[in-house]
Amino acid sequence: ISLASQIGDYQFDNLLLNAAGVRCASTDELDKILDSDAGGCVTKSATPEPRKGNESPRMKATSMGCINSMGLPNHGLDYYLKFAETNQGKSGKQVVLSVAGLSIKQNIEMLKKIQESSFAGLTELNLSCPNIAGKSQVGYDFEAVRDVLTSAFSFFKKPLGLKLPPYFDFNQFDGIAEVLNDFPVTYINSINSIGNGLVVDPDTESVVIKPKGGFGGLGGDYVKPTALANVRALRLRLKPEISIIGTGGIKSGKDVFEHVLCGASLVQIGTAFGFDGTPIFERISKELKEIMAEKGYHTLADFRGKLKTID
Ligand SMILES: O=C(O)c1[nH]c(=O)[nH]c(=O)c1Cl
């Protein structure tokens, strides 16, 4: 039984990755992921310069997942670019370099630096951070997405993936797919956290995080049905050359199986990886192989995208 999967020219011996932002801001954390059963690692979304991020408390775990308003704390692009150049492809592991500029200009500036660098792996352009005060997720502005992709592909010749926010309406699925199908995007990653949720503590009668009056991105059990819907809807709409990474609500082999059934080629684990740490990659790999064995599947391609509907 194989958990191997391919995105563009990149072979992953295991389809499991961490989600950008979770236990991946330092090289020590990134090394731990590479030393685990994960097929590779994803760096914390980088901005051009180091950032402290939002004030704490800025993340809270709950019985159903978590809420966060980290505000893009990171060591800056150079730090992650150096790690990525050094570690990409080592012992068959892929390093995905995530970038999240605070403007189209910053995104282009970072992509130019990556294009000129010796990094030969996958770049993930994050168009979906919900936690910068005064800024909406770029992924909700289809013309802005078209603009940034038009500029990017005028010079960026390395493989590019996009981290998208969750969409909630068929017109939105159609709208974003229409834009994406016009560009040589290597993959899309759905979903980022469900933005601007609110967790209330009835005992203290208060919100639980400080930034933005307590509003923050939701992850974990809260988001799985939305994540599966986005993976499925975009698989049905995007040209086959664009692969899909499924992210959202994964904490077991069963959850991974469901994402692959909806069309995912790789999956990323955020909230649950935050709780469990790197042992989660071994546990989930084992659980998924057990499910595949029970069903008589040998590879992910045996069931990828084969979700049945009720006719
Ligand atoms: O607040 C964050 O750092 C953050 N938090 C998220 O839930 N998704 C993102 O893409 C980012 Cl960039």
Side-chain angles (χ1 to χ4, degrees), residues 24-45:
C24 61
S26 72
T27 52
D28 286 353
E29 289 174 313
L30 290 162
D31 285 338
K32 270 181 73 103
I33 299 171
L34 291 178
D35 292 344
S36 78
D37 282 20
C41 69
V42 185
T43 62
K44 166 65 187 172
S45 294

Side-chain angles (χ1 to χ4, degrees), residues 60-134:
K60 175 85 177 170
T62 72
S63 60
M64 290 180 65
C66 73
I67 184 169
N68 91 83
S69 184
M70 306 303 285
L72 262 170
N74 75 97
H75 293 297
L77 177 60
D78 293 350
Y79 177 94
Y80 299 105
L81 186 48
K82 185 159 166 277
F83 176 87
E85 286 172 329
T86 311
N87 292 280
Q88 161 55 29
K90 264 200 188 149
S91 50
K93 301 270 180 128
Q94 310 293 0
V95 175
V96 179
L97 177 60
S98 175
V99 293
L102 302 182
S103 64
I104 291 188
K105 185 169 167 294
Q106 281 194 5
N107 280 324
I108 295 307
E109 176 193 319
M110 289 194 284
L111 290 177
K112 280 201 170 113
K113 201 167 213 182
I114 295 167
Q115 178 59 35
E116 285 148 21
S117 77
S118 65
F119 175 57
L122 292 161
T123 297
E124 185 168 289
L125 178 58
N126 181 352
L127 298 175
S128 42
C129 177
N131 299 324
I132 301 298

Side-chain angles (χ1 to χ4, degrees), residues 232-301:
R232 172 70 168 177
L234 290 175
R235 186 61 287 160
L236 293 175
R237 288 166 174 76
L238 292 175
K239 56 190 179 184
E241 304 92 294
I242 301 181
S243 298
I244 296 182
I245 296 184
T247 304
I250 293 172
K251 62 182 183 186
S252 71
K254 183 177 69 65
D255 301 324
V256 176
F257 184 81
E258 293 170 20
H259 267 273
V260 174
L261 209 48
C262 289
S265 289
L266 300 177
V267 299
Q268 291 182 1
I269 308 172
T271 301
F273 170 51
F275 289 153
D276 297 358
T278 54
I280 196 167
F281 296 114
E282 182 182 9
R283 169 173 69 81
I284 288 187
S285 298
K286 196 164 96 17
E287 291 171 355
L288 179 56
K289 285 181 178 174
E290 280 162 9
I291 294 168
M292 289 171 70
E294 269 159 41
K295 291 166 171 284
Y297 294 131
H298 300 282
T299 68
L300 301 174

